[in-house]
Amino acid sequence: MTGELVRRHTGAVVRGLALGGLAVAAAASFTLQMALFVPGFILGMVFLLPRPLVVARWLPNLARRLAGRWSGVEISSPYRPRPQPPQPGPDGLYERDRQLYRSPWFPAYMDRIDWVLGDTATWRDLRWTFLEPVVGGPLALLPAALVAGGGWLGYAGVTGPAGTGWWAVPLGLLAVTAGVTAAPALLSAHARWTRLLLRPVEPTLTPAKRWILLRLLVLVRMLALLGLTLLVVPVAVLSALAVVLTFGFGLIVAFPPAVEHSRPLTNLRRRMARWSGVEVPEPYRPRPPLQRRPDGLYQVGKSLYETPRMAAYAQRMDWLVRDPASWRDIIWQLLDPLVGGVLLAVPLGAIGYGIWGLALPRFTVLIGLRGDDLGPWHGNVAGNGAIAVPVGLALAVAGLVVAPSLLRLHGRWTALLLGPTVRAKLALRVQRLTETRADATEVQAAELRRIERDLHDGAQARLVALGLTLGAAEQLVERDPAVARELIAEARDNAARALTELRDLVRGIHPPVLAERGLGDAVRALALDCPLPVEVTVDLPGRAEAPVESAAYFAVSELITNAVRHAGAGRIAVDIGHRDDALRIVVTDDGHGGADPTRGTGLRGIERRLGTFDGVVTVDSPPGGPTTVVLELPCVLSSPRTSTC
């Protein structure tokens, strides 16, 4: 028993030395990764980051395995699964971020970048490589250091001159004993420390932390918006100069490029308005097509042109000048540095000035000056260095408190000038209805072709075979009744199969349970046929219109099919409700995620199907799951229909 105890403690000392070497490797790994982060983030060379970060995972993975093997502290892998390879669309091209690529290499590499940099475990690994040499390494090396130090003291006490250093022998023996005795406990503490940093963590936020993080997020967004506002200043100068040159001096070549090249900036501001909780759609009118007359001339308004180049330029000029959104963009560029800049600068300035007030008393003591020598802060605001602290704290807190309200006000200001007018909304509405009508026509034609194909290859073929079989049985009924009975039995089987196929076909067109019982019961029936457990929650006070119910039913059917076939899900949940005059359906599965409507999946078909009814599809499917798809269809529910069942 004593020998086993000695081996256990001495083995813990040796393992601590090995973990010390792991800490040295972590320090080297952190240094190399920081050397890559400088060009990766500061110089924009993000493509340098994924492979080194993935390769560097072997080190924290080794720490996890050693913690489980040497200390019995199991640490499961926290990494998200690798993204699925991109799938080609019907045209053989690969789509990502609304760009088409012939090869899957670039979309796959961008997915890899999002996978690595979007995984919180990556940043936890990086934090571990930074802290392990500082905390974990000394913790693991402490027993070996005590043993080595005690041995050196004992050696010095024995080999020293007579009468000197006699105290070193017992002290060294005490250090060796302490190191060997504490080695297992310190090794276990190192394992718990490793688990604390490298285990999978579910984010939990207290109300105080949530308040602070939300305020910090607001400040970061306000800083980004303020930077964009500063960028608007030279763009506004160029736009004003283009207007003066075009309409004051007749240089019409200056207006179109100035307006078109500034639209990406204003569109970016519209997208950033979502940070304020305000949706600002693009108000620009679609560019009209170039019209060619029967006589070969090109007509733009009341003017005729012989060449398409001059006609296209005149049409471009007329389109930009007549679009009210072009002039609203220019007005916003001129006013935003004054109005929007002030809304953003007030809370940021209060926080910055408050922090300056908090730091100023220490700064004055540090450099040996009086408060009056550093400007008006002490004399005009606080009076002295002691009062500067509470005044600075009050200003900083006030800036944090009013920042969300001013950010929302800034979003409304953006929507006031950059949002579509009533006429622009009508034009966008007509354009959307035209697109959805074309999609609906295409879907209807494809559905008719499917029905025709199913009838021709299924029920029609079986009915033809049924007729031939009955004809043969009719001829054999007197000569060979036994064979005739077999043919009649075969005909009966064919009739049953044809009836089953016809029922399946009718169910695919419009399920009877949907017409009789409504959307909720139809989805419940769909869940019963699913091989996975599906939890269906329905809260509908009435029934929607039949076309809306049909579109919602087939959309849910497609989502359940995707979860079963592609997501690797083990459980599906469907929540059907009605809120704000809209039918809202939430479908959630616990699969591996990564669903993207831009990759040509069934989600694009669902968007087209619901777009006919002004429906909206929202997909939240991070790599690793879960996947949540929200379907919203504006509709009015009728009174509940009493079931005949």
Side-chain angles (χ1 to χ4, degrees):
M1 186 67 180
T2 305
E4 178 66 26
L5 186 64
V6 170
R7 284 194 299 270
R8 176 171 173 267
H9 283 259
T10 54
V13 175
V14 175
R15 289 168 179 172
L17 283 172
L19 292 175
L22 189 68
V24 174
S29 175
F30 180 79
T31 303
L32 292 175
Q33 291 183 66
M34 287 297 101
L36 291 173
F37 269 45
V38 172
F41 284 109
I42 298 179
L43 302 181
M45 303 170 68
V46 188
F47 61 89
L48 295 175
L49 299 177
R51 189 171 185 83
L53 288 174
V54 174
V55 172
R57 286 181 175 180
W58 71 270
L59 197 60
N61 278 332
L62 178 60
R64 294 184 184 97
R65 289 196 298 270
L66 293 180
R69 183 178 303 173
W70 290 348
S71 303
V73 178
E74 297 295 334
I75 307 174
S76 58
S77 178
Y79 304 115
R80 292 179 180 177
R82 289 178 177 269
Q84 298 294 320
Q87 300 297 323
D91 53 2
L93 299 177
Y94 298 86
E95 184 176 355
R96 178 179 171 81
D97 296 334
R98 298 185 179 181
Q99 295 290 330
L100 296 177
Y101 302 91
R102 294 182 179 179
S103 171
W105 178 85
F106 185 77
Y109 194 78
M110 295 304 296
D111 289 343
R112 184 181 177 87
I113 292 178
D114 292 342
W115 166 60
V116 174
L117 298 184
D119 193 350
T120 56
T122 299
W123 308 105
R124 291 175 63 82
D125 286 356
L126 188 64
R127 183 176 64 178
W128 175 82
T129 57
F130 172 70
L131 294 177
E132 175 67 11
V134 181
V135 180
L139 198 64
L141 289 174
L142 182 59
L146 289 174
V147 171
W152 180 82
L153 284 174
Y155 177 78
V158 171
T159 59
T164 62
W166 58 269
W167 50 267
V169 176
L171 186 60
L173 183 60
L174 181 62
V176 172
T177 304
V180 174
T181 303
L186 292 176
L187 192 66
S188 178
H190 182 274
R192 290 194 296 271
W193 152 262
T194 304
R195 181 176 60 183
L196 178 66
L197 289 187
L198 298 181
R199 66 180 177 180
V201 175
E202 293 293 334
T204 55
L205 291 178
T206 62
K209 289 182 179 179
R210 181 179 178 83
W211 189 89
I212 294 174
L213 289 177
L214 288 177
R215 291 312 185 272
L216 291 178
L217 180 61
V218 167
L219 294 182
V220 171
R221 289 175 173 177
M222 296 185 82
L223 283 173
L225 289 169
L226 186 60
L228 187 61
T229 299
L230 297 178
L231 185 61
V232 167
V233 175
V235 176
V237 173
L238 293 177
S239 298
L241 183 61
V243 172
V244 172
L245 292 177
T246 300
F247 298 96
F249 298 93
L251 298 176
I252 61 174
V253 296
F255 189 78
V259 172
E260 283 191 312
H261 292 164
S262 65
R263 284 187 173 181
L265 185 65
T266 51
N267 281 332
L268 177 60
R269 174 54 65 86
R270 291 186 181 97
R271 291 193 295 270
M272 295 172 71
R274 298 173 185 171
W275 294 349
S276 311
V278 179
E279 290 289 338
V280 185
E282 290 188 18
Y284 305 119
R285 295 179 180 178
R287 186 170 182 173
L290 191 62
Q291 298 179 357
R292 188 174 184 180
R293 292 158 45 96
D295 56 3
L297 298 177
Y298 296 89
Q299 181 177 356
V300 178
K302 296 182 179 180
S303 303
L304 300 178
Y305 299 89
E306 295 182 355
T307 62
R309 181 177 180 182
M310 292 300 299
Y313 190 85
Q315 182 196 61
R316 178 189 178 197
M317 182 70 181
D318 183 73
W319 165 55
L320 293 174
V321 170
R322 292 180 180 273
D323 192 350
S326 301
W327 301 103
R328 290 166 65 88
D329 285 356
I330 295 175
I331 295 174
W332 171 80
Q333 293 168 12
L334 295 174
L335 296 180
D336 187 65
L338 300 176
V339 180
V342 170
L343 292 176
L344 297 171
V346 166
L348 295 175
I351 293 172
Y353 203 51
I355 293 176
W356 169 242
L358 293 173
L360 190 57
R362 293 182 177 273
F363 186 64
T364 55
V365 174
L366 182 64
I367 63 176
L369 294 177
R370 296 179 305 169
D372 297 337
D373 298 330
L374 293 177
W377 173 267
H378 289 74
N380 296 339
V381 179
N384 57 59
I387 304 179
V389 174
V391 172
L393 184 61
L395 282 175
V397 172
L400 285 175
V401 170
V402 303
S405 300
L406 292 181
L407 183 62
R408 288 192 293 270
L409 185 60
H410 184 270
R412 296 192 184 97
W413 153 255
T414 303
L416 178 65
L417 286 184
L418 296 185
T421 60
V422 176
R423 184 173 296 181
K425 289 180 180 179
L426 181 60
L428 293 174
R429 171 70 173 164
V430 171
Q431 181 185 4
R432 176 170 174 80
L433 288 177
T434 303
E435 294 174 353
T436 55
R437 184 182 62 181
D439 290 338
T441 304
E442 181 182 351
V443 170
Q444 184 180 14
E447 189 71 11
L448 289 175
R449 288 193 298 269
R450 182 188 69 82
I451 295 172
E452 180 184 5
R453 183 176 63 252
D454 292 345
L455 286 174
H456 181 273
D457 298 339
Q460 180 179 343
R462 292 196 180 278
L463 291 175
V464 171
L466 175 63
L468 294 176
T469 304
L470 289 176
E474 185 181 5
Q475 296 177 1
L476 295 174
V477 67
E478 294 181 357
R479 289 182 300 169
D480 195 346
V483 176
R485 281 195 298 269
E486 292 179 1
L487 291 176
I488 292 173
E490 182 181 348
R492 186 175 62 250
D493 293 340
N494 283 335
R497 294 193 187 106
L499 181 60
T500 301
E501 291 179 357
L502 286 174
R503 285 174 176 171
D504 293 339
L505 182 62
V506 171
R507 190 179 297 110
I509 299 172
H510 193 79
V513 66
L514 180 62
E516 297 173 3
R517 304 290 298 273
L519 179 61
D521 289 339
V523 174
R524 290 190 181 100
L526 192 66
L528 293 176
D529 296 334
C530 182
L532 299 179
V534 181
E535 180 183 353
V536 181
T537 305
V538 182
D539 183 14
L540 293 177
R543 293 192 59 175
E545 300 86 347
V548 174
E549 281 190 337
S550 178
Y553 171 82
F554 286 107
V556 174
S557 176
E558 179 70 22
L559 292 174
I560 292 177
T561 302
N562 287 345
V564 174
R565 293 182 179 177
H566 308 298
R571 193 172 189 85
I572 305 172
V574 182
D575 184 14
I576 305 175
H578 188 266
R579 187 179 63 186
D580 298 332
D581 291 333
L583 178 64
R584 191 172 189 270
I585 304 174
V586 181
V587 181
T588 307
D589 66 75
D590 57 356
H592 52 64
D596 188 355
T598 63
R599 296 181 181 175
T601 60
L603 295 173
R604 183 64 64 84
I606 294 175
E607 288 180 344
R608 290 198 300 266
R609 183 187 293 272
L610 301 188
T612 309
F613 305 95
D614 287 341
V616 178
V617 180
T618 305
V619 181
D620 181 16
S621 182
T627 297
T628 302
V629 182
V630 181
L631 313 177
E632 289 187 338
L633 283 155
C635 71
V636 178
L637 299 185
S638 63
S639 59
R641 181 176 299 178
T642 304
S643 172
T644 58
C645 182

